[in-house]
């Protein structure tokens, strides 16, 4: 009869022990949290500002002018006056066609001009002489009119002779095929000794490299987003679409010259979903070459009333980006509170002495929020106590 009593006391003991164990487990994190030393952090206050809006896109280079070199006159090609791949100046001779026939044509035209000039002088003398005789009525009006007509014809012949001489000189100049622009020569298509039949025969090509043309495309989605941002007043674009352009080369270095967008196609390419833009970039040292792939940055737009915070303040938990804000717990203690954010463009501020890389925050922050920018590695869980110490990082707290 005493056995049930013993069992009931044992059960009561085990139940009491288990309750005390579970209560100790539930209170342990709170005790540990209360006893944990606050993490030292640095912060900045979130405030809106006008921030530069930059688009970075892949682009290809091409010569600003790609010219086919053709002869305007016919003849035997006597010499090539350049090396393939050579840099040439404007009006530099590239080919020489047999000059003798054209030199003779100039001499012949000059002789004809001299003859026409002599005929005009003789006709003028006749008119002058007959004018005196006509005043004395020593010659008929018909003779005087004939002399005047001869003078007019002589003047016309002289003008025609001048045109013929200019044409002969022009053909002589065309026989010395010259570069219409400065640039880099391509390969020759015709060798010395070949009969050149005129403009229908391609001799070579020349590519103007200074300035150089930059071509790239902006997606329809990006353009629609920019239009929406403009409509709601959060974005202003360059006037007349004249974006400023800078180049980043394949090794990551920045090209030393900048340019400007001078063409924007209104059509959308159905194959790529982009519209083409074109910019012209100075290339005085010919460091850029046609066919080269680069990345172009479009500058000149401004994000209005945007939040911009140091890039290192933005963390990623695998499901999205967030920042830690300084907040208060139920007991009034200072804690780190996570806040999910939507980031926009990556902004660089080379002029800053401290932070140079920033994120533009599109949503998730409010004016006056205190954003933790240093000490996040010491925050082991959301709601952990923190101590703000901006004096130790004054450069980043500005």
């Amino acid at each position: 009869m005493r056995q049930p009593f013993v069992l009931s006391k044992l059960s009561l003991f085990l139940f009491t022990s288990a309750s005390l164990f579970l209560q100790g487990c539930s209170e342990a994190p709170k005790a540990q949290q209360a006893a944990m030393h606050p993490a030292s952090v640095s912060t900045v206050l979130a405030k809106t500002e006008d921030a530069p809006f930059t688009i970075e896109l892949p682009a290809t280079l091409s010569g600003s002018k790609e010219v086919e070199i053709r002869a305007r006159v016919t003849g035997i090609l006597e010499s090539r006056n350049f090396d393939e791949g050579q840099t040439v100046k404007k009006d530099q001779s590239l080919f020489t066609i047999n000059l003798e026939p054209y030199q003779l044509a100039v001499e012949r035209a000059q002789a004809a001009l001299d003859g026409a000039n002599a005929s005009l002088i003789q006709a003028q003398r006749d008119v002058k002489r007959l004018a005196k005789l006509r005043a004395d009525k020593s010659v008929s009006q018909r003779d005087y009119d004939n002399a005047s007509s001869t003078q007019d014809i002589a003047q016309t012949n002289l003008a025609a002779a001048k045109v013929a001489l200019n044409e002969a000189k022009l053909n002589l100049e065309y026989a010395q095929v010259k570069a219409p622009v400065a640039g880099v020569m391509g390969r020759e298509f015709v060798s010395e000794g070949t009969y050149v039949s005129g403009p229908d025969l391609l001799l070579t090509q020349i590519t103007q490299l200074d300035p150089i043309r930059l071509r790239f495309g902006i997606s329809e989605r990006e353009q629609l987003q920019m239009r929406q941002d403009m409509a709601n007043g959060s974005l202003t674009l360059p006037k007349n679409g004249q974006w400023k352009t800078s180049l980043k080369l394949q090794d990551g270095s920045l090209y030393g010259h900048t340019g400007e967008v001078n063409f924007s196609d209104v059509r959308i390419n159905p194959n790529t979903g982009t519209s083409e833009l074109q910019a012209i970039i100075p290339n005085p040292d010919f460091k850029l070459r046609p066919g080269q792939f680069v990345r172009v940055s479009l500058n000149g737009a401004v994000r209005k009333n945007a939040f911009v915070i140091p890039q290192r303040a933005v963390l990623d938990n695998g499901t999205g980006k967030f920042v830690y804000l300084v907040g208060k717990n139920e007991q009034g203690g200072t804690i780190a509170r996570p806040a999910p954010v939507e980031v926009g463009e990556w902004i660089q501020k080379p002029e800053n002495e401290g932070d140079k890389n920033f994120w533009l925050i599109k949503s998730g922050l409010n004016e006056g929020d205190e954003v933790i920018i240093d000490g996040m590695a010491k925050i082991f869980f959301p709601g952990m106590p923190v101590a703000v110490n901006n004096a130790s990082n004054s450069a980043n707290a500005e």
Side-chain angles (χ1 to χ4, degrees), residues 291-310:
Q292 188 174 346
F293 287 92
V294 297
R295 294 196 67 83
V296 57
S297 293
L298 301 182
N299 309 293
V302 177
R303 284 282 189 192
K304 308 295 290 185
N305 300 320
F307 290 104
V308 179
I309 63 174

Side-chain angles (χ1 to χ4, degrees), residues 204-223:
T204 186
Q205 292 177 313
I206 182 171
T207 303
Q208 184 177 13
L209 296 183
D210 184 26
I212 199 165
R213 182 184 292 125
L214 180 70
R215 286 178 174 161
F216 52 95
I218 294 184
S219 70
E220 183 180 6
R221 180 183 59 81
E222 289 176 310
Q223 295 183 64

Side-chain angles (χ1 to χ4, degrees), residues 236-292:
T236 59
L237 297 181
K239 186 177 181 181
N240 298 326
Q242 294 179 334
W243 295 82
K244 302 297 181 182
T245 59
S246 57
L247 297 186
K248 184 182 292 185
L249 305 180
Q250 287 292 331
D251 60 359
S253 62
L254 291 177
Y255 181 61
H257 297 276
T258 59
E260 186 175 275
V261 171
N262 66 344
F263 169 75
S264 178
D265 200 341
V266 297
R267 298 168 298 178
I268 300 293
N269 188 321
N271 297 321
T272 62
T274 63
S275 61
E276 185 180 87
L277 279 77
Q278 174 182 290
I280 298 297
I281 304 287
N283 188 29
D285 300 325
F286 294 172
K287 291 182 178 180
L288 303 178
R289 291 301 179 104
Q292 188 174 346

